[in-house]
Amino acid sequence: MVRAPCCEKMGLKKGPWSPEEDQILVSYIQKHGHGNWRALPKQSGLLRCGKSCRLRWINYLRPDIKRGNFTKQEEQTIINLHQMLGNRWSAIAARLPGRTDNEIKNVWHTHLKKKLKHYDSSQDSKTIQISKCDSNVVIENESGKNNHSTSPQQCCSEMSAVTDSSMEKIVVKEEIDYSSEYFPTIDENFWSEELANEDVRETKEDADAHLPLVELESVEDSKVDGGGGMDFWYNLFTRAGDMPDLPEF
DNA sequence: AATTCTTACAACCGCATCGAG
DNA sequence: GCTCGATGCGGTTGTAAGAAT
């Protein structure tokens, strides 16, 4: 049994929003707020489903939305956060005031992914490797709530601090600048798209010498989807000793 | 000038999660 | 503990605009 899409209900409009619809939605929310998205279309007179209204508001009409091109710093931040969190766009968006998860996702797919792929292809020989990885890490946040992660992706996305040898407790402590301070800097070649073949980063041997390996167990049963994936998991734990305490997501 | 291709981004869909009852 | 409705999230699609041919 397949559930019918919500907007297929009789009379509900789909597709691009008209300025009139935007106006109705904005003025309704300004007056009444958006306590109940489901009820909002009925009460405001819009022929849209609540989901569509919510999306339109969050991604486009919200007054605090920052429009226009992303700055280099914002792009750098996205890259760094994506390396940390994988495809958790909402978590990334939470660190970029005025930007939406949808917008960030689009920028990633249309610009950054291509750039990085191009950039990384010139960096292949510098890939860092690790042989073992723990697939069952317990994470504890500030509220004391434990999260059991069975996948690297999931675990990494919730990881918020250095893992010690027992890998049991992770506590959030402070805000950090995601744009550069704690991450390897992407050089000018990335932004210029003219990738140098040599002397861009340290060699693999140099990197291995600087990055402490962490003893971890097999990840055979781990599910890894797109985004950060296993490489990131490896890199995160490889670099664990260099990572700062990170805030909660 | 017309057509095709590419890019960017808004919007949709369906699954996951959460909370109330 | 279970069910169900509401909301959040990420993947994907649709389409308008611009570029290339």
Side-chain angles (χ1 to χ4, degrees):
Chain A
M1 182 76 105
V2 180
R3 184 176 52 177
C6 61
C7 293
E8 280 182 13
K9 287 172 189 167
M10 284 295 289
L12 290 189
K13 206 177 153 193
K14 282 173 65 175
W17 281 63
S18 67
E20 291 76 24
E21 288 177 307
D22 284 347
Q23 186 55 49
I24 292 170
L25 182 58
V26 169
S27 50
Y28 181 86
I29 290 176
Q30 279 171 350
K31 258 187 193 165
H32 305 96
H34 52 72
N36 185 343
W37 286 113
R38 198 87 166 193
L40 189 150
K42 255 185 198 166
Q43 292 166 359
S44 65
L46 282 165
L47 294 174
R48 297 274 181 173
C49 67
K51 213 170 182 178
S52 181
C53 294
R54 179 185 152 269
L55 216 60
R56 184 63 178 172
W57 174 256
I58 287 175
N59 288 335
Y60 203 82
L61 298 174
R62 242 170 44 194
D64 57 330
I65 295 275
K66 192 199 289 182
R67 309 215 66 83
N69 294 336
F70 279 63
T71 64
K72 269 188 187 180
Q73 192 183 16
E74 284 176 314
E75 289 189 353
Q76 172 94 55
T77 301
I78 293 168
I79 291 164
N80 292 338
L81 286 168
H82 186 269
Q83 198 175 39
M84 248 177 83
L85 302 170
N87 294 359
R88 291 189 61 206
W89 306 115
S90 59
I92 294 172
R95 304 284 157 190
L96 283 166
R99 301 297 190 181
T100 69
D101 55 350
N102 206 34
E103 199 177 10
I104 290 167
K105 186 168 56 181
N106 284 332
V107 167
W108 175 259
H109 284 124
T110 55
H111 295 114
L112 301 178
K113 197 166 78 175
K114 280 183 222 161
K115 271 188 185 176
L116 268 181
K117 192 176 177 185
H118 190 202
Y119 183 80
D120 283 348
S121 67
S122 72
Q123 306 292 320
D124 275 353
S125 63
K126 287 122 186 173
T127 302
I128 297 159
Q129 294 181 342
I130 186 170
S131 57
K132 293 176 175 182
C133 188
D134 194 332
S135 63
N136 189 20
V137 178
V138 178
I139 294 177
E140 179 174 313
N141 63 22
E142 277 181 316
S143 65
K145 179 183 170 185
N146 283 342
N147 302 303
H148 295 260
S149 291
T150 53
S151 77
Q153 178 72 22
Q154 189 184 356
C155 181
C156 287
S157 69
E158 291 172 354
M159 180 66 68
S160 58
V162 176
T163 56
D164 64 20
S165 56
S166 65
M167 301 239 339
E168 295 301 313
K169 193 169 184 178
I170 290 152
V171 180
V172 171
K173 284 183 181 166
E174 60 183 299
E175 283 292 334
I176 64 165
D177 174 13
Y178 293 97
S179 65
S180 60
E181 187 179 355
Y182 293 106
F183 296 89
T185 304
I186 292 172
D187 60 45
E188 286 305 311
N189 294 314
F190 176 82
W191 304 110
S192 68
E193 297 187 18
E194 291 174 15
L195 304 179
N197 291 323
E198 295 179 348
D199 300 325
V200 177
R201 280 182 3 192
E202 61 189 354
T203 64
K204 177 180 183 304
E205 288 71 24
D206 288 341
D208 286 345
H210 294 147
L211 297 166
L213 290 176
V214 178
E215 284 299 321
L216 302 164
E217 295 174 7
S218 166
V219 289
E220 274 175 20
D221 296 327
S222 301
K223 170 189 156 202
V224 177
D225 52 7
M230 194 65 78
D231 286 346
F232 167 58
W233 177 249
Y234 285 159
N235 286 331
L236 177 75
F237 280 96
T238 308
R239 295 167 186 274
D242 293 333
M243 289 290 285
D245 292 345
L246 303 175
E248 183 179 1
F249 295 105

